[in-house]
Amino acid sequence: MLEIMDTTLRDGEQTSGVSFSSQEKLSIAHLLLVDLGVNRIEIASARVSDGEFKTVKKITDWARGAGYIDQIEILGFIDKGASLQWIKDVGCNTVNLLTKGSYKHVTEQLRKTPQEHLDDIKAEVYLAQEMGLNVNIYLEDWSNGILNSEDYVYFMVDNLKDMPIKRFMLPDTLGILNPHTTWRACRRMTKRYPKLHFDFHAHNDYDLAVANVMVAVEVGVQGVHVTMNGLGERAGNASLSSVIAVLHDHLNVETTIKEEKLNRVSRVVETYSGLTISANQPIVGENVFTQCAGIHADGDNKNNLYYNDLYPERFGRVREYALGKLSGKANIRKNIEALGIELDEAEMAKVTNRVIELGDKKEVITQEDLPYIISDVLRNSEKDKQVKIIAFAFILSKGVRPSASVRIEINGKEYEETAPGDGQYHAFSKALWKIYTKLDKPKPDLVNYSVIIPPGGRTDALVQTVISWKFNDKVFKTRGLDADQTEAAVKATEKMLNIIEDM
């Protein structure tokens, strides 16, 4: 079975601006190992700080007690045993030893010959063995090495393959590979060393990390490195959720990952990292299981014509049907069915038209908004209106009182007035009441004014304005629904004007 190694807590924390607290690191470790079923996690780099030592100690203490200690790994360096001692003292059993995987890195960064570097590695591996530590080896910059100094890579692995090294880890450190070069590079390693365990570690600089992981697995690597939400330096690492979907669906590879937990864990890491997941991020993005076009919802009604293998329930999610200007009856019907509401065709047409009208003003309308829209549409028929607010306009400037102009139609005749006020709606109502005063028509008292965002709705979608009135000793409420708060209040007022005409 393919091994999944998550390095969110080490490589992922190298994301610019991301720093997990001690408790957050422990929480993520628990979520990855227990909830998700990740095989191994890399939780830190050795010798970073005293604070990091205490945090890592908390994780290893928990892991040892819970039976996960052999799944915990820490990045170590060739430093004559200093990293190994740190890792030993913190209670971890496994070191991921950072070595050089390209001739250029050895000669220009370390300023050593390949033999000198090899001798240093061997000494560190033997020392780790004496200390009772398991050793995996990172061949840093391996992708450049295998492409540009292949003989160097073979020299290193030829001389290390019989040592007590459990895994050889192949990083595309600078994210330079594509699926074609990944296939050739990884194939060279697995074909030349069929008995060795290779991990592949991708970076996403060209947005190819997930594709490169897929190809690496296809040619025989036995482990892959990932991070939650694709966190990592520069453009990040291969995203765990996307990698798992690709491996399961395109290669039919078995893993221990519990798909149904991916979305929840992703959201927790999103909160801890402070980096918002893109809405169109595959698997875990907010919009990826939302159908917008009405034709898609219609196809889903007809034998799931627009479904693929990525059905949302696999990942602990549900399919949604967006409401907006692209919605058709099928989209709206899907949402109405989910709410347990039944409408006839005429009512459905009215609601569809109203959703499209609102969608022209604001992009997002949620399922939770729908009952408000239905109520607003079905209770407010144009043909029953004796009073219609034809037009209104507001002027709002700093240092000047707001003013409003209103034109209304009462029983077929139009009237217009302008007035200042203490706010936009106050100015609107004063202009309105100027008309009613001239016509000697009675006016109600405003008792209460409240603005409601439908539960689960969004502030950039709809608001409902509820106004309580008192007229002829009777108190009643009217409601207006719109993307704009003041316009919603105007609609509530228009409903009130028609009600008092009959009182």
Side-chain angles (χ1 to χ4, degrees), residues 28 30 63-64 124 142 183 273 301 352-353 413 496 503:
I28 292 171
H30 185 281
R64 192 172 299 280
E124 211 78 25
W142 164 82
W183 193 96
S273 69
N301 281 333
T352 300
N353 290 337
K413 293 185 179 180
M496 173 275 295
M503 292 176 67

Side-chain angles (χ1 to χ4, degrees), residues 240-446:
L240 172 59
S241 54
S242 296
V243 164
I244 291 304
V246 167
L247 293 178
H248 288 179
D249 292 2
H250 289 272
L251 297 183
N252 295 318
V253 169
E254 291 186 8
T255 73
T256 59
I257 301 300
K258 303 165 189 172
E259 288 183 336
E260 69 277 9
K261 304 290 186 180
L262 279 168
N263 187 64
R264 186 175 71 85
V265 176
S266 174
R267 293 299 166 188
V268 173
V269 174
E270 176 186 39
T271 301
Y272 290 164
S273 69
L275 296 183
T276 302
I277 299 169
S278 172
N280 64 345
Q281 174 82 14
I283 312 303
V284 294
E286 183 179 350
N287 294 343
V288 296
F289 295 116
T290 300
Q291 300 279 37
C292 286
I295 188 172
H296 291 172
D298 181 61
D300 290 345
N301 281 333
K302 298 170 181 175
N303 200 27
N304 295 333
L305 297 181
Y306 288 90
Y307 275 33
N308 60 20
D309 288 338
L310 294 174
Y311 51 92
E313 291 77 13
R314 280 177 57 183
F315 309 103
R317 304 186 62 181
V318 295
R319 190 172 301 281
E320 297 177 357
Y321 294 86
L323 296 164
K325 63 184 179 181
L326 298 179
S327 299
K329 286 193 295 183
N331 256 32
I332 296 169
R333 192 179 296 279
K334 283 280 189 181
N335 281 275
I336 289 173
E337 287 172 356
L339 294 169
I341 299 172
E342 294 184 5
L343 297 179
D344 61 30
E345 289 303 316
E347 293 168 335
M348 182 66 73
K350 291 181 181 179
V351 172
T352 300
N353 290 337
R354 182 67 169 130
V355 168
I356 293 170
E357 176 192 341
L358 291 167
D360 277 330
K361 297 180 180 180
K362 292 286 184 179
E363 180 181 352
V364 179
I365 300 171
T366 70
Q367 188 181 91
E368 289 81 1
D369 296 326
L370 203 51
Y372 292 78
I373 297 173
I374 292 170
S375 175
D376 184 65
V377 169
L378 301 186
R379 293 183 182 181
N380 190 36
S381 174
E382 285 287 328
K383 65 181 180 181
D384 298 329
K385 292 181 181 179
Q386 298 180 59
V387 181
K388 298 178 182 179
I389 297 176
I390 304 299
F392 56 90
F394 299 103
I395 298 176
L396 182 64
S397 302
K398 184 177 180 179
V400 180
R401 293 182 74 194
S403 64
S405 297
V406 180
R407 184 165 78 248
I408 67 171
E409 179 185 302
I410 304 176
N411 295 321
K413 293 185 179 180
E414 291 190 8
Y415 307 89
E416 185 171 343
E417 282 292 348
T418 298
D422 295 330
Q424 288 181 313
Y425 182 74
H426 184 241
F428 165 82
S429 60
K430 285 185 67 177
L432 185 65
W433 300 143
K434 283 175 71 173
I435 296 172
Y436 268 57
T437 298
K438 287 182 179 180
L439 295 175
D440 198 27
K441 293 176 72 67
K443 302 181 289 291
D445 295 320
L446 191 155

Side-chain angles (χ1 to χ4, degrees), residues 470-485:
K470 184 176 182 181
F471 186 75
N472 290 344
D473 296 323
K474 181 178 179 181
V475 176
F476 62 97
K477 294 180 180 180
T478 57
R479 294 169 172 81
L481 188 76
D482 202 86
D484 180 83
Q485 174 184 326

Side-chain angles (χ1 to χ4, degrees), residues 2-4 182 186 200 211-224 243 247 251 253:
L2 185 76
E3 284 188 353
I4 305 296
T182 300
C186 289
F200 180 67
N212 291 344
V213 166
M214 181 183 76
V215 173
V217 172
E218 198 170 24
V219 297
V221 303
Q222 295 165 281
V224 295
V243 164
L247 293 178
L251 297 183
V253 169

Side-chain angles (χ1 to χ4, degrees), residues 45 97 323:
S45 298
L97 194 63
L323 296 164

